[in-house]
Amino acid sequence: MKKALIHIGSGKTGSTSIQKSLISYVKNKHSDFSFPVVDTLGNQNIDCLFKPAKRFSRALKSRLNAKGIKPNKYQKAFKNKFLKEYEDSKNLILSSEYFFNLNSDEIEKLYVFLKEELKIDEVQVVCYLRSPADYYLSFVQQQIKASSKYPVPSSFRYNMLENIKCWEDTFPNIVVRQFSKKQLVNEDVVLDFNNIINDFFDIKINLEPMKFNESLSALSMVTLQHYRKTIYGSKDGEFNKSSRNLLNMLLDLSAEEKKPRLKKTVDATIQNNHKNQIVYFQNHYGLFKDLVMKEDDLSDCSIFNQYDVSEILMDEINESDILAMYAKITEVLTNS
């Protein structure tokens, strides 16, 4: 019997760390399972085989546009490389946070691909979820890497339940874990996923924990958004080299600073807007038991300036703070 373990994210739950650890494991000639390495993150973009081009990830769209590659050509090349790397006599692991947003039709296409083309007999789906407010803060950090504005909290939705139900309809064997240090094995998502691998395949492996996509500080968030607004205000949704370079410098300069925190009213509003979803996952999967619903409300999204991310953060950031950060950046560039 051949099995497949499908890790579907969701986003901002350590998927890059899982993928890099899996790549390191298979590159060391271990042969407990097949993890086809198609690109720098393994098989992360495999969702493109089941989606129309308009639903490709923002990062993939940007890369294809920059290189002038047509989507159908990329799909064909990806599938060919995947099948070349796939060891079809072995159990399979796929990992892509982009799987999380597949719709019912796309999930059915994946099911057919696994059953008919890869001849998989048994599938287990694994998903990690953050609390809505925690996910919102991480999502905002991701957005401002390529945009001058952020989504206001009152209108933000983390479609956990809708997405999971789509997967439940096709793949009933699904494991949902909370992405929270207290809930993860040894407070690490790679070690947590390692346990799932061992249990499902009945093997004993040891993945190496890795850390990627560390959080920006509050000041770094404000500085990055200020830069995007000032330099690339008309190019929202586009990643570029200079923004990535600035991001890396900000991560280095703010490594010792405290992680950003949402204002209590913002946190409460987001949790209350996801109350029904939270209750579902509490009852069906035992998640989010630590969340307490509060009655604070910020229903009027017009009170937020989308071009000033400091408005949702507890830490007070002013213009002099931003200028001081730019001065540090200038010093680094001058001395490099």
Side-chain angles (χ1 to χ4, degrees):
M1 175 180 285
K2 193 161 57 173
K3 298 180 177 181
L5 188 62
I6 315 299
H7 168 234
I8 65 171
S10 62
K12 314 311 297 176
T13 58
S15 295
T16 300
S17 296
I18 288 173
Q19 290 155 3
K20 289 288 188 180
S21 296
L22 288 168
I23 290 172
S24 176
Y25 189 83
V26 297
K27 280 187 175 180
N28 287 328
K29 307 300 181 182
H30 296 292
S31 58
D32 302 280
F33 52 80
S34 178
F35 179 70
V37 178
V38 181
D39 50 32
T40 56
L41 290 178
N43 47 67
Q44 178 187 231
N45 287 312
I46 193 172
D47 66 302
C48 77
L49 301 184
F50 317 109
K51 290 178 177 178
K54 65 182 179 181
R55 282 182 36 79
F56 284 6
S57 70
R58 182 174 64 167
L60 181 55
K61 284 180 182 177
S62 294
R63 180 149 61 92
L64 296 184
N65 288 337
K67 295 184 177 182
I69 301 174
K70 293 184 177 180
N72 60 341
K73 185 176 181 180
Y74 178 81
Q75 288 172 313
K76 184 177 180 180
F78 190 100
K79 185 173 183 179
N80 288 339
K81 180 70 181 298
F82 176 89
L83 293 175
K84 181 180 179 181
E85 296 295 322
Y86 172 53
E87 300 175 74
D88 61 4
S89 63
K90 298 178 181 176
N91 293 324
L92 171 69
I93 295 180
L94 300 180
S95 176
S96 174
E97 60 269 39
Y98 303 134
F99 272 151
F100 185 67
N101 292 317
L102 292 185
N103 61 37
S104 296
D105 289 340
E106 293 159 353
I107 293 172
E108 182 63 27
K109 290 178 182 178
L110 169 63
Y111 178 86
V112 171
F113 176 72
L114 293 171
K115 294 290 185 177
E116 297 186 5
E117 294 198 47
L118 304 187
K119 308 302 180 183
I120 300 295
D121 299 296
E122 182 181 350
V123 179
Q124 182 172 88
V125 174
V126 181
C127 180
Y128 289 89
L129 298 175
R130 299 181 87 134
S131 71
D134 189 25
Y135 178 83
Y136 171 72
L137 179 56
S138 186
F139 183 79
V140 168
Q141 290 205 11
Q142 182 66 23
Q143 287 293 108
I144 61 177
K145 291 176 184 179
S147 179
S148 60
K149 56 186 178 181
Y150 69 94
V152 296
S154 52
S155 61
F156 177 77
R157 294 296 181 272
Y158 181 21
N159 295 320
M160 302 180 291
L161 182 53
E162 178 183 346
N163 292 348
I164 288 296
K165 280 189 172 295
C166 285
W167 282 92
E168 288 175 337
D169 289 343
T170 302
F171 295 100
N173 187 7
I174 182 168
V175 173
V176 184
R177 300 278 291 154
Q178 184 172 343
F179 186 76
S180 168
K181 280 190 174 183
K182 293 181 180 180
Q183 305 298 325
L184 298 172
V185 172
N186 292 339
E187 300 187 345
D188 188 280
V189 69
V190 172
L191 297 180
D192 196 272
F193 188 68
N194 193 127
N195 267 23
I196 294 172
I197 292 174
N198 287 340
D199 288 345
F200 182 58
F201 293 136
D202 192 23
I203 58 178
K204 184 66 176 179
I205 69 164
N206 292 292
L207 296 179
E208 179 185 357
M210 296 185 181
K211 299 291 185 182
F212 293 92
N213 297 330
E214 296 297 308
S215 296
L216 290 163
S217 68
L219 175 55
S220 293
M221 286 179 66
V222 176
T223 303
L224 180 59
Q225 186 193 33
H226 181 273
Y227 177 80
R228 288 291 315 192
K229 179 175 63 177
T230 303
I231 308 299
Y232 297 106
S234 62
K235 296 183 178 180
D236 281 345
E238 296 181 18
F239 291 96
N240 58 59
K241 185 176 180 179
S242 65
S243 291
R244 282 192 288 268
N245 290 340
L246 175 60
L247 173 64
N248 290 332
M249 283 190 285
L250 290 171
L251 285 169
D252 289 338
L253 290 170
S254 63
E256 302 302 319
E257 296 181 21
K258 292 187 300 183
K259 292 185 177 182
R261 299 165 296 165
L262 293 174
K263 290 178 179 177
K264 290 182 179 180
T265 48
V266 173
D267 186 291
T269 295
I270 294 171
Q271 303 291 37
N272 283 331
N273 284 344
H274 294 80
K275 185 174 183 178
N276 291 339
Q277 296 191 60
I278 290 170
V279 170
Y280 177 87
F281 286 105
Q282 286 176 335
N283 294 336
H284 288 77
Y285 291 100
L287 275 61
F288 308 133
K289 295 293 187 180
D290 54 328
L291 295 185
V292 178
M293 297 298 104
K294 300 176 183 179
E295 297 306 319
D296 304 58
D297 182 41
L298 287 173
S299 57
D300 184 5
C301 63
S302 65
I303 66 174
F304 291 98
N305 176 3
Q306 286 187 281
Y307 295 95
D308 186 1
V309 73
S310 68
E311 292 194 358
I312 64 171
L313 301 175
M314 187 175 294
D315 302 86
E316 292 188 9
I317 308 295
N318 54 46
E319 189 172 346
S320 62
D321 295 321
I322 300 173
L323 292 175
M325 179 59 83
Y326 277 134
K328 289 182 181 180
I329 293 167
T330 301
E331 183 179 354
V332 169
L333 293 174
T334 302
N335 296 328
S336 61

